[in-house]
């Protein structure tokens, strides 16, 4: 049973481009969480999704950021028109229930 | 507003001795606390947790203590091993029925265990 798979591991985007981060949860896990870690900081909650539903997006910036977890396929975190301040490590976690998280290895986004 | 704080950015310990990592929180609604360990270029891995109805939870070399009145928790690692060298994050959650398992993390403490 593979762990939580995130790809790409590293992503470089120029300012103004779009970034798409993918997360495949563990088999049987229906809860997906996205967290962001800025340099020298802890992880900050962004969004919680279940299949086809956004349950809590209280940590998502109001503009440019969106997330989905379709019925088929991975969860996607999309950042439009990236800026340098978006450079961070983005971690996805999945769970079969509340708590019991398993984190992926993260996607390191660098905006140049 | 940093609701979970780890005031020590780093800690250095000799192999075989005790490591004590500290965490303070301000939100009195937090009722479930977790510790995660993170190696470079990897995601955090769960270590140990404690519910607010307890004041201690032990798992092998790891023990977490919770002092609700002081809004303080600590992680004890005994004995410390070089493989324990990593970043340790404290995390907290409010009532699971309403928070959906959303975690608030501290900034992390870098633990270095010297042989």
């Amino acid at each position: 049973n593979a762990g939580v798979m995130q790809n790409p591991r590293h992503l470089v985007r120029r300012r103004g481009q779009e970034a798409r981060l993918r997360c495949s949860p563990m088999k049987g896990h229906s809860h997906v969480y996205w967290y962001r870690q800025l340099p020298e900081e802890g992880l900050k909650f962004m969004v919680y999704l279940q299949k086809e539903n956004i349950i809590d997006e209280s940590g998502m910036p109001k503009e440019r950021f969106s997330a989905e977890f379709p019925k088929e396929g991975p969860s996607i975190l999309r950042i439009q028109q990236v800026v340098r301040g978006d450079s961070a490590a983005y971690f996805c976690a999945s769970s079969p229930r509340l708590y019991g998280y398993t984190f992926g290895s993260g996607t390191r986004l660098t905006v140049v | 507003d940093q609701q979970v704080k780890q005031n020590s950015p780093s800690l250095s310990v000799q192999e075989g001795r005790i490591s004590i990592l500290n965490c303070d929180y301000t939100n009195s609604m937090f009722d479930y606390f977790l510790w995660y360990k993170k190696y470079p270029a990897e995601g955090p891995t769960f270590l140990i947790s404690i519910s607010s109805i307890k004041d201690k939870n032990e798992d092998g070399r790891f023990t977490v203590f919770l002092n609700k009145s002081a809004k303080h928790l600590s992680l004890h690692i005994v004995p410390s091993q070089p493989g324990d060298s990593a970043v340790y994050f404290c995390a907290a959650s409010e009532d699971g029925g309403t928070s959906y398992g959303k975690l608030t993390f501290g900034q992390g403490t870098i633990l270095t265990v010297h042989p």
Side-chain angles (χ1 to χ4, degrees), chain A:
Chain A
N1 188 7
V4 177
M5 304 302 293
Q6 289 190 249
N7 65 81
R9 290 295 304 272
H10 300 276
L11 181 61
V12 179
R13 284 287 178 266
R14 296 185 188 280
R15 280 178 294 172
Q17 290 185 319
E18 178 179 283
R20 282 195 175 202
L21 289 63
R22 292 175 184 77
C23 169
S24 296
M26 290 183 70
K27 188 175 181 180
H29 287 195
S30 58
H31 303 251
V32 167
Y33 304 79
W34 285 92
Y35 285 79
R36 174 166 69 171
Q37 184 183 20
L38 294 169
E40 310 297 325
E41 294 187 16
L43 283 76
K44 296 277 197 295
F45 169 80
M46 299 183 75
V47 62
Y48 161 54
L49 310 102
Q50 292 183 18
K51 281 288 186 182
E52 301 185 272
N53 290 301
I54 296 173
I55 307 300
D56 182 347
E57 57 181 349
S58 58
M60 289 277 271
K62 294 286 184 282
E63 298 176 350
R64 303 186 297 108
F65 284 72
S66 62
E68 62 178 10
F69 187 16
K71 187 176 181 181
E72 301 292 337
S75 175
I76 306 285
L77 180 67
R78 183 182 292 109
I79 312 172
Q80 296 177 306
Q81 299 176 329
V82 296
V83 301
R84 287 225 170 100
D86 297 332
S87 294
Y90 291 82
F91 292 95
C92 167
S94 74
S95 173
R97 59 190 181 283
L98 297 180
Y99 307 124
Y101 280 21
T102 299
F103 278 93
S105 296
T107 293
R108 276 138 193 89
L109 172 66
T110 302
V111 179
V112 296

Side-chain angles (χ1 to χ4, degrees), chain B residues 12-19 77 79-82 111-115:
Chain B
S12 184
V13 170
Q14 205 68 30
E15 181 179 6
R17 306 294 288 266
I18 184 171
S19 296
I77 306 174
S80 302
Q81 300 172 354
L111 173 65
T112 303
V113 180
H114 298 283

